[in-house]
Structure formats: structure tokens, C-alpha cells
Amino acid sequence: MSRKWLEKEAPRWVREDIISSEQADRLLSLYDEKKRAIGILPILGSLLVGLGILTYVAANWQAIDHIWRLLLLIVVMTGFYAAGEYFHRRGDRLLGIGLLAVGLAAFGGSIFLVVQMYHLLLAQSTAFLLWGIAGVLLVWLYPSRVLFFYTAIVLSISQGYSLSDTEQFNLYAFLVLAIGLGAYWLKHRDGWMAWVLGLSLLAQTTIWISMEGWTIVWFYVPSMALYAAADWLKAKRDVYGLQGSVLTGMYFFGFIMVMFSDDVPVLDFGADERLRSIVFLFVFAGLLAVSLLGKLSRQRIATAGDWLLLLPWFFIPAGTDLLYLLALAFYSLYVLWHGYDEQWRFRINLGTVLFLFATLLAYTRLAWDFMDRSMFFLIGGVLMLLLSWYLGRRRRSALSDEGGDRHA
């Protein structure tokens, strides 16, 4: 719920005797924007302090003896951890989490500096894995969305370095992410955490698929499995978070297919790929049926519009790029319609951005090759401004009717 929306609606509630003026003031006090803005400052300040210390140490690193380097690393790291624990225990949670995040960054930096200092044979992927394990432990000790995001990024980087260093899938990084952060999400159930966790898992499974030498479109299977499983969850925030991660990946894949469809290897029904294509379609159809049953059982059949992005349009060889472009455009219109129908500000804004992007993508794809460059940018800019004005007007009109944002 936003304070601006509450400021707009509270006087009407008072006039209609739904709440008293004192209750309205109490509600507004819970959403003090000044306190929120001030709360961000400790995190930014702690990050700047940490960067300042690391920069100073790096500049004078060669002049410091090995034993003093090690002691300095330990003191800096434990100092931030201790300060974070102190402020967190006092109730200043934002400052405490900010200091703990810097402590975790110092721990990661310390691993690489110790490896360099003592010439240890430790792969960068392993160093990031140890860093990620420390992050998981910290997340469980100090529940925080910031630390959760931080740790997911570190573990994903670990998998990326494993790809470049050893050309092997790092099963340990995947298990730490899936079990460590997955169990944490199951306990705390946060929508944004679900989105980050889903994206990280799908990114790592895509890396595994590429390492195995399979066609990249096999990432549809784990993506669809995650999407179908989410359809059976009760809480909407869990469903939107997990399915949002899948749709984010599919939207990005759709963009790639629009721009580079000729260069992306896909499955087909040729002699070499016929059996794999049939297996893929059977598995995909089964997961689609599971998704449909989940939507029916949870009375969410209206969300079937998501399948616009999920369907494997690449099996239609003629005009694959155009099919994916239409899928992106119609999906953005579906998101807009769903947002207007539920008066949900986030989905209206998201649908507006997606539609503008799809329009720009279509304009770029269709007009770039035959239009004069100056006219291309001029006409494209005018179209974007007109579309932005019209969609913004529709959004304000929809949210101003009947109480504004139902999902605020």
C-alpha cells in the first residue's frame, strides 16, 4: 500500500464514517515516507565506508606484511559483522543489515586476497561458492530480502565462473541455491524472493543444458515445470513470484528469437531431431496439462494468457521471428487488460512498459532495413511519445475510478 494512495482515499473513508479522523492519522503514520527515505541512508553509507576501506587497503596492499594483511582482513570482516549484530539487536534493522552486507562483501574479498597472497590453487568458482555458503548462513541468521538477493547473485556468478573455468556444471552451487535459499523461501514466502530464486534456478539449469550440448530450447522444460508447479500454490504472492521469474526468462527468449531467430539452434522434425522433438512436445504437453489443472483447481484460469509466452513457437519454421513478436505484443496487451480489470497499478505499469518495448521492437525489426536512419529515429520517437501519452492517460483514468489500486 502506498502513502499517496492512502492520502487520497483516507478523507473519503472519514466522510463516509468508515473510519475516524484519528484512525486515518494513525494509518498514515504507518507509511511515513520520510522514515523510509532515511532508512535507505544507513545502507548506502555502510557500502561507501566499506568501499573506502577496501580501496585504501588495495592501494597499500603490497607495502603490508603478510601476517598484518591477514589480521587486517579478519579485523575488517569481524568488525562489520559485530557492528551489524549490534545495531540489528538494538532494533535498527536497516543499518544492521547494511553493515552485515558489507561484512559479507569483506568476506568474499578476503577469500580472493588470501588466495592471491598465499598462491593457493583455488578456482574462482569455488571461491564464489564459499562466499555463497557464507551468505546462506547469514540469511538464515538475519532474515533479510537484501541478503537473500545478494547471496543468489553470488551463487549464480559461481556457476558462471564454473562454466568459464572448468566447463563443468557446479552441482554444489546449484544445491546450495536450491536447498539453502529454497528452504528459506519456503519458510518466509516473499514474492520478490520467489522471483529472484526462480530466475537463479532457471539461469543455472540453462547453463547445465548448454554444458550438456543440448539445444538451448530445452530450457522450456524446467521453466514450464516451475510454472506448472506454481499453479498449484494457494498464495498469490508465491504464484506471481515464481511464475514471474519464468515469464521474465521467456520474454527475454522471445526478444532473442525476434532479433536473432536465424542464429538460434532449435528443435525441428528433421531426421536428426525428430525423436527429440516428439519427446519434447509430449513432455511440454504434459506440463501444460498440469498447469491447466492447477489453474482450474485454484480458480485462476484467467491467467492462461501467460501461455502466449510459454508456447514453443519455434516449431513453426515460417516466420518464427514474427510469431514471437506477436506473442510479445499480445502478452503485453494481456498484462494491460489484467491490470485494468483488477485495477492493479503494478501490472498496469508493467503492461505499459512491455507494450512500449514490443512496439519499439516491432518498429526496429520491420523498419530498420529499409528506412532512412534519421526518419527511423524521428518517427519512432514520435510513436513512442504518443503511445506513452495515451497509455499513461488510460492508466491514470483506470486507477482514479472506484478507489484506485486494489493491490496497493
Side-chain angles (χ1 to χ4, degrees), residues 349-371:
N349 291 335
L350 177 62
T352 301
V353 172
L354 292 180
F355 184 72
L356 289 172
F357 179 78
T359 304
L360 179 62
L361 188 60
Y363 180 72
T364 302
R365 187 72 177 87
L366 300 175
W368 179 261
D369 292 334
F370 62 84
M371 186 178 288

Side-chain angles (χ1 to χ4, degrees), residues 91 96 125 155 176 210 246 264 320 340 351 370 406:
S125 59
L155 290 171
V176 170
S210 66
V246 175
V264 178
T320 301
Y340 286 132
F370 62 84
R406 297 176 189 172

Side-chain angles (χ1 to χ4, degrees), residues 7-32:
E7 287 175 343
K8 179 180 177 181
E9 295 302 315
R12 183 170 64 86
W13 296 344
V14 173
R15 289 194 304 271
E16 296 177 4
D17 292 329
I18 298 175
I19 60 174
S20 65
S21 57
E22 291 79 10
Q23 290 173 324
D25 292 337
R26 289 182 62 186
L27 285 172
L28 287 169
S29 67
L30 296 175
Y31 296 89
D32 192 341

Side-chain angles (χ1 to χ4, degrees), residues 363-405:
Y363 180 72
T364 302
R365 187 72 177 87
L366 300 175
W368 179 261
D369 292 334
F370 62 84
M371 186 178 288
D372 178 77
R373 295 296 177 260
S374 59
M375 292 301 297
F376 173 87
F377 290 115
L378 180 61
I379 296 175
V382 172
L383 286 175
M384 288 296 102
L385 289 173
L386 290 174
L387 276 172
S388 178
W389 170 79
Y390 175 73
L391 292 175
R393 183 180 177 183
R394 289 280 295 125
R395 181 178 67 249
R396 289 190 296 271
S397 175
L399 294 178
S400 63
D401 296 335
E402 300 298 330
D405 190 358

Side-chain angles (χ1 to χ4, degrees), residues 335-346:
V335 173
L336 267 175
W337 167 79
H338 194 259
Y340 286 132
D341 183 59
E342 296 195 358
Q343 293 185 350
W344 189 355
R345 185 185 302 273
F346 174 77

Side-chain angles (χ1 to χ4, degrees), residues 256-324:
I256 292 176
M257 292 301 291
V258 171
M259 300 301 296
F260 313 105
S261 59
D262 294 336
D263 301 321
V264 178
V266 296
L267 293 170
D268 55 44
F269 289 98
D272 297 334
E273 295 286 351
R274 185 178 296 121
L275 179 59
R276 291 184 180 182
S277 299
I278 293 172
V279 171
F280 177 93
L281 286 176
F282 269 106
V283 172
F284 185 85
L287 292 172
L288 199 63
V290 172
S291 173
L292 175 61
L293 292 174
K295 291 182 186 298
L296 290 172
S297 65
R298 300 299 183 192
Q299 298 181 346
R300 288 196 287 260
I301 193 61
T303 62
D306 293 341
W307 294 342
L308 285 167
L309 288 182
L310 298 173
L311 294 175
W313 301 105
F314 56 82
F315 275 113
I316 304 175
T320 301
D321 54 348
L322 179 59
L323 286 172
Y324 273 98

